[in-house]
Amino acid sequence: MLGLIAPGCALLPSQLVLHTGLRVFWWIGPIIVLIAIPVLDWVVGEDGTNPRDEDYEVLSKDRYYRWCTYMFLPIQLFGLGIAAYLWSRDELGVVDKIGLATTLGLVSGIGINAAHELGHRVERAERWLAKVALAQSGYGHFYVEHNKGHHARVATPEDPASARLGESLWEFLPRSVLGGFHSAVRIEAERLQRKGLRWWSWQNNILQAWSMTLVLYLGLLLAFGPTMLPYLFLQAVIGAGLLETVNYVEHYGLLRGKRPNGTWARCSPADSWNSDRLVTNIFLFHLQRHSDHHANPGRRYQTLRSSQEAPQLPAGYAGMILLAAVPPLWRRVMDPKVLAHYGGDVGRANIAPRKRKRILAAHHGRAAAA
């Protein structure tokens, strides 16, 4: 239930400002996500526990954990409605409205994580709820691309959401955003074609998700007027940016092995970065146990495990996001970890093509000198 603090951030700003008079609380989202959580991750440390094999079935079927994800949605959307009302009024200055939009954007990005959990399920209702959770960010194509594209190609050069060694976050973002969009459209078009349907079919998953965004945005526009639109779009951009930054952190430099016939080997826990920091895992429905998620995508979040095989991040996602924003610091910390994961053989990593020769030469030069 503590995971619902995240969408609750959308409800907090107005009350905190009202009762304290401190306008900084319009920025409560980044204060919690980018300051409080990294500090708590460092203080509290790692979880260190895994579900027992004999508890797996009971834990997986326990509907309490499903309701924790279901309840995310009404809190998220109610908070968006309050924010739209405040954006449309003159009581707040531009800086305060930008702070509120930033807070809502972080909630929107974490909402994509709730959609991520729901979208992996086989139950039809949960898949529809995943599309509802994506409406605020306008990132509905993620429903198709993540499940049918990213999971099939993760930790390979063909995956736009798998960051490459030597690739900065700012180089990765446009490649992942545009590549993921084009991939989702192609995958869905091919699926519809196999079923004998056209793109403009009501069975188009992308159009279904986008139509929910359209209905949501038009409803807010009619209710509160056009003055809130710039802030509504700003929070959507921030939400999508948060998702893609997490993608960058999750797979940086990792490359799956190949079978003797040249095809990619099945994804294993070694092909995704893992973090078992307790506080961030509570906020993100165990998303940081990402290695197990990719090795066993059918597992519900409460049953995910940490594995000795998985490479470990030096901090939780919140801290790694801050690190990723500064490429020199990121490379200083993460490039040696990629190299260590592959036993010093940098040629086994997923290297940015434009930097491949330079990276190989640099590491081979260091090895020769040693």
Side-chain angles (χ1 to χ4, degrees):
M1 293 296 287
L2 291 175
L4 299 179
I5 293 174
C9 287
L11 307 177
L12 292 175
S14 60
Q15 295 305 304
L16 289 172
V17 173
L18 175 66
H19 291 291
T20 67
L22 300 175
R23 308 188 76 84
V24 69
F25 283 120
W26 295 118
W27 298 81
I28 190 66
I31 290 171
I32 291 177
V33 173
L34 301 179
I35 299 175
I37 292 180
V39 171
L40 287 172
D41 267 339
W42 178 72
V43 172
V44 176
E46 296 188 349
D47 186 344
T49 61
N50 280 329
R52 301 183 304 170
D53 291 341
E54 56 266 35
D55 296 332
Y56 177 82
E57 287 298 327
V58 173
L59 195 59
S60 182
K61 294 176 181 178
D62 191 338
R63 299 192 70 85
Y64 165 80
Y65 296 96
R66 303 188 193 189
W67 279 100
C68 289
T69 55
Y70 300 165
M71 291 173 65
F72 192 105
L73 275 64
I75 299 173
Q76 173 188 2
L77 294 175
F78 186 61
L80 178 63
I82 292 174
Y85 168 78
L86 293 170
W87 288 327
S88 68
R89 299 176 65 83
D90 297 329
E91 286 87 347
L92 271 65
V94 173
V95 173
D96 293 337
K97 290 181 178 181
I98 292 174
L100 181 59
T102 303
T103 293
L104 266 291
L106 294 175
V107 171
S108 178
I110 298 173
I112 297 176
N113 177 54
H116 164 261
E117 171 63 24
L118 293 165
H120 272 291
R121 309 283 69 90
V122 297
E123 289 82 354
R124 185 178 180 86
E126 290 187 277
R127 288 176 175 263
W128 276 101
L129 289 175
K131 297 169 188 174
V132 173
L134 291 166
Q136 180 176 340
S137 62
Y139 223 57
H141 63 279
F142 172 84
Y143 175 85
V144 171
E145 168 57 17
H146 179 82
N147 293 295
K148 302 298 183 182
H150 177 58
H151 269 268
R153 301 180 303 233
V154 64
T156 71
E158 289 78 31
D159 180 32
S162 293
R164 300 158 180 173
L165 183 68
E167 182 179 38
S168 75
L169 172 64
W170 311 111
E171 293 170 314
F172 168 80
L173 286 175
R175 182 175 71 83
S176 184
V177 170
L178 296 175
F181 173 80
H182 290 145
S183 174
V185 170
R186 177 181 56 79
I187 290 170
E188 188 64 5
E190 291 173 354
R191 185 188 72 86
L192 292 170
Q193 189 176 40
R194 288 194 300 270
K195 297 182 69 173
L197 299 172
R198 296 183 178 182
W199 174 260
W200 297 103
S201 165
W202 65 271
Q203 295 187 41
N204 186 320
N205 285 307
I206 295 177
L207 294 184
Q208 288 172 359
W210 284 349
S211 66
M212 292 182 186
T213 297
L214 183 62
V215 169
L216 176 63
Y217 282 24
L218 283 177
L220 293 173
L221 178 63
L222 291 173
F224 304 113
T227 56
M228 57 90 198
L229 281 177
Y231 305 101
L232 183 63
F233 290 138
L234 175 59
Q235 67 82 30
V237 170
I238 292 172
L242 178 61
L243 163 74
E244 296 294 357
T245 302
V246 169
N247 275 337
Y248 178 82
V249 168
E250 289 170 337
H251 302 288
Y252 178 76
L254 300 181
L255 184 69
R256 275 150 61 185
K258 286 193 172 182
R259 301 185 180 96
N261 64 2
T263 60
W264 294 108
R266 185 180 183 276
C267 188
S268 76
D271 300 319
S272 306
W273 289 101
N274 197 73
S275 175
D276 209 19
R277 301 284 173 162
L278 179 60
V279 174
T280 302
N281 267 335
I282 287 173
F283 270 78
L284 297 182
F285 299 119
H286 277 173
L287 179 67
Q288 292 184 132
R289 290 186 168 180
H290 207 63
S291 298
D292 192 21
H293 168 68
H294 269 284
N296 302 283
R299 287 182 177 172
R300 289 187 177 270
Y301 73 91
Q302 67 268 25
T303 66
L304 292 174
R305 308 172 184 185
S306 283
S307 166
Q308 294 296 322
E309 183 184 352
Q312 300 294 319
L313 291 169
Y317 279 7
M320 298 307 295
I321 287 170
L322 293 173
L323 194 66
V326 187
L329 292 178
W330 173 267
R331 288 193 297 268
R332 182 183 291 268
V333 172
M334 288 303 298
D335 285 13
K337 288 191 168 293
V338 174
L339 192 63
H341 180 59
Y342 291 115
D345 184 1
V346 71
R348 295 171 57 195
N350 185 9
I351 304 175
R354 292 191 301 108
K355 302 178 182 179
R356 184 175 184 83
K357 288 184 179 180
R358 178 169 60 80
I359 289 174
L360 289 175
H363 284 282
H364 289 160
R366 292 192 198 104

